[in-house]
Amino acid sequence: MKKDIEIPKVENVFLAAIQEWSDDFMDKVWYVYLVNDSDFDLDSVMVVSKAFGTIDGEMRKTSLLRHAFIKVPTVSAVKVEMIENSVLELNNEFMVTYFIGNTLYDKKFTFRKNTINERATEEVPHIWQNGVVLR
């Protein structure tokens, strides 16, 4: 039975953390984007995020955040959420689920603790700003 289940591989869909100015906080903050670099529209996209890890020897975790997008067009990006500076020292996990046609795709992306920083940036396709890319 297990051999009959086909699990498709996620390709050309990734996350990027980009630092941008926020008028609300009067400071630069990190925003996570979902980038669709594929030739297909992503339908019924669901992103579930959480942060977890240890700070000063104490286990910490955030609540789950859920984001839904009806469609993410081909060769585009959508802003998912802001990551508060205090949780950058935790592992930030994003579970991305979407449909292409009638096929369900899902992948877990994890920004390991302290990997979101200005030294780890590169140019993000389709956004054309520097950010931390997670494929």
Side-chain angles (χ1 to χ4, degrees):
M1 292 282 269
K2 269 187 165 179
K3 64 182 173 71
D4 296 330
I5 298 173
E6 181 183 328
I7 301 173
K9 184 177 179 185
V10 172
E11 295 178 356
N12 300 320
V13 175
F14 57 92
L15 296 180
I18 297 175
Q19 195 172 37
E20 298 175 354
W21 179 259
S22 170
D23 288 336
D24 294 335
F25 294 99
M26 297 303 291
D27 197 7
K28 285 185 170 182
V29 294
W30 291 92
Y31 288 95
V32 173
Y33 285 81
L34 173 64
V35 181
N36 179 7
D37 192 24
S38 74
D39 296 331
F40 306 98
D41 290 343
L42 309 181
D43 295 315
S44 303
V45 180
M46 176 69 81
V47 181
V48 179
S49 65
K50 67 179 179 179
F52 60 92
T54 305
I55 298 176
D56 297 329
E58 184 180 336
M59 185 63 180
R60 302 277 178 98
K61 65 179 180 176
T62 64
S63 58
L64 290 177
L65 297 177
R66 294 171 182 86
H67 310 276
F69 305 96
I70 295 170
K71 181 176 285 204
V72 179
T74 181
V75 189
S76 69
V78 294
K79 188 182 283 190
V80 177
E81 72 179 34
M82 181 194 83
I83 297 183
E84 187 178 312
N85 288 335
S86 64
V87 297
L88 293 176
E89 55 188 297
L90 299 173
N91 296 313
N92 287 275
E93 182 179 277
F94 294 82
M95 187 63 170
V96 179
T97 307
Y98 58 90
F99 283 92
I100 295 178
N102 290 327
T103 305
L104 178 70
Y105 292 80
D106 71 328
K107 184 171 181 178
K108 185 185 334 180
F109 297 91
T110 304
F111 289 100
R112 296 284 176 208
K113 65 180 182 174
N114 298 317
T115 58
I116 299 176
N117 61 64
E118 291 183 35
R119 295 181 311 277
T121 61
E122 63 184 80
E123 188 172 66
V124 179
H126 312 299
I127 299 176
W128 312 122
Q129 294 181 31
N130 285 340
V132 179
V133 175
L134 189 58
R135 295 186 192 276

